[in-house]
């Protein structure tokens, strides 16, 4: 069967879907490269390490829970990238190599094709241009949306702040002076999953063609 060129919009739209769902699920700030490294995800324990805030006092990072939908979306995204890399390997070896490194943690996890057909990391500057007409909201809309819904479901304010990364130096969630625990994150995980289910967010498989 002759090779049919890949429509880059197929990959780009799928990456946008992954980005939007995960941003809702984990409260990530749109900074340099969203959810940059797959190694930051612990899919077995359903946890994510996030560092999305500059701090003059040192590393500003937090751990957030991964609800079931987020874990499944990440798994589908990995399969999409791996299948696409396998398909492109004979025709576009450089692109295939980039994609393979995305799921090994040596390249940014989320990427898009630019106008030249080159893969580039998904960054706020790209997201702003791509979404400005189709989805004209602030890049951090997911955080404000989820904060409102979490509070409506009576999630304690300190736990919501911990999830969003709102804390002063020395008051970090799960830090030595914090009263929060992993058990609190697990309870939060269930509420986030409930919200995602109410939104009818589904897990979508990406690229599935091999030849």
């Amino acid at each position: 069967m002759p090779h049919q060129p890949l429509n880059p919009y197929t990959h780009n739209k799928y990456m946008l879907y992954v980005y939007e769902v995960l941003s809702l699920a984990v409260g990530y700030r749109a900074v340099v490269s969203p959810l940059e490294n797959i190694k930051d995800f612990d899919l077995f324990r359903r946890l994510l390490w996030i560092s999305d805030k500059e701090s003059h006092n040192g590393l500003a990072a937090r751990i957030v829970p991964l609800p079931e939908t987020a874990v499944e979306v990440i798994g589908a995204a990995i399969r999409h990238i791996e299948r696409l890399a396998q398909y492109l390997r004979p025709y576009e070896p450089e692109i295939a190599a980039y994609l393979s490194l995305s799921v090994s943690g040596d390249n940014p996890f989320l990427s898009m094709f630019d106008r030249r057909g080159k893969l580039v990391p998904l960054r706020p500057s790209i997201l702003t241009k791509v979404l400005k007409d189709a989805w004209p909201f602030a890049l951090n809309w997911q955080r404000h949306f989820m904060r409102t819904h979490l509070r409506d479901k009576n999630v304690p304010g300190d736990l919501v702040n911990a999830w969003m990364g709102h804390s002063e130096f020395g008051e970090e969630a799960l830090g030595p002076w914090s009263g929060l625990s992993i058990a609190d994150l697990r309870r939060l995980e269930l509420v986030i999953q409930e919200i995602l289910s109410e939104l009818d967010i589904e897990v979508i498989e990406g690229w599935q063609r091999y030849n």
Side-chain angles (χ1 to χ4, degrees):
M1 179 181 295
H3 165 55
Q4 296 182 3
L6 170 73
N7 183 341
Y9 293 107
T10 301
H11 174 75
N12 289 0
K13 288 181 179 179
Y14 192 76
M15 289 289 99
L16 286 174
Y17 151 77
V18 173
Y19 163 76
E20 293 290 355
V21 173
L22 294 185
S23 294
L24 278 170
V26 304
Y28 193 90
R29 293 181 179 90
V31 290
V32 177
S33 186
L35 306 165
E36 184 169 20
N37 199 308
I38 190 60
K39 293 180 180 178
D40 293 338
F41 295 89
D42 186 337
L43 301 183
F44 179 74
R45 296 179 177 84
R46 304 191 314 281
L47 296 170
L48 169 63
W49 181 85
I50 290 180
S51 179
D52 61 357
K53 181 181 179 181
E54 293 184 0
S55 172
H56 298 296
N57 298 309
L59 179 65
R62 65 190 185 279
I63 294 175
V64 299
L66 289 172
E68 180 181 356
T69 293
V71 173
E72 293 179 355
V73 166
I74 295 164
I78 292 172
R79 291 191 294 274
H80 162 83
I81 294 170
E82 290 176 337
R83 291 166 177 167
L84 186 56
Q86 180 177 342
Y87 174 71
L88 291 175
R89 194 162 289 120
Y91 318 110
E92 301 284 353
E94 291 186 5
I95 293 177
Y98 184 101
L99 290 168
S100 295
L101 292 174
S102 296
V103 292
S104 70
D106 296 301
N107 270 344
F109 179 44
L110 302 180
S111 63
M112 296 184 73
F113 286 100
D114 64 13
R115 293 181 178 180
R116 299 169 296 170
K118 180 181 178 181
L119 277 177
V120 294
L122 200 62
R123 299 192 184 282
S125 58
I126 295 175
L127 288 166
T128 299
K129 293 177 182 178
V130 172
L131 294 172
K132 66 178 181 179
D133 295 324
W135 195 254
F137 300 104
L139 286 184
N140 282 335
W141 74 268
Q142 308 94 338
R143 288 168 53 84
H144 302 291
F145 177 90
M146 291 297 290
R147 180 184 179 86
T148 297
H149 282 264
L150 289 171
R151 295 297 286 135
D152 286 346
K153 291 185 177 293
N154 298 316
V155 175
D158 59 342
L159 188 53
V160 174
N161 287 336
W163 181 76
M164 298 186 71
H166 290 168
S167 64
E168 299 298 328
F169 180 65
E171 299 178 358
E172 298 85 355
L174 306 181
W177 308 109
S178 172
L180 300 177
S181 67
I182 291 295
D184 293 303
L185 295 185
R186 291 300 176 214
R187 287 190 286 272
L188 176 61
E189 173 191 330
L190 295 177
V191 179
I192 294 173
Q193 179 58 48
E194 180 182 341
I195 295 171
L196 297 179
S197 297
E198 290 172 353
L199 294 172
D200 292 326
I201 293 177
E202 298 181 355
V203 180
I204 301 173
E205 287 292 333
W207 185 262
Q208 300 186 60
R209 182 176 180 177
Y210 287 91
N211 52 46

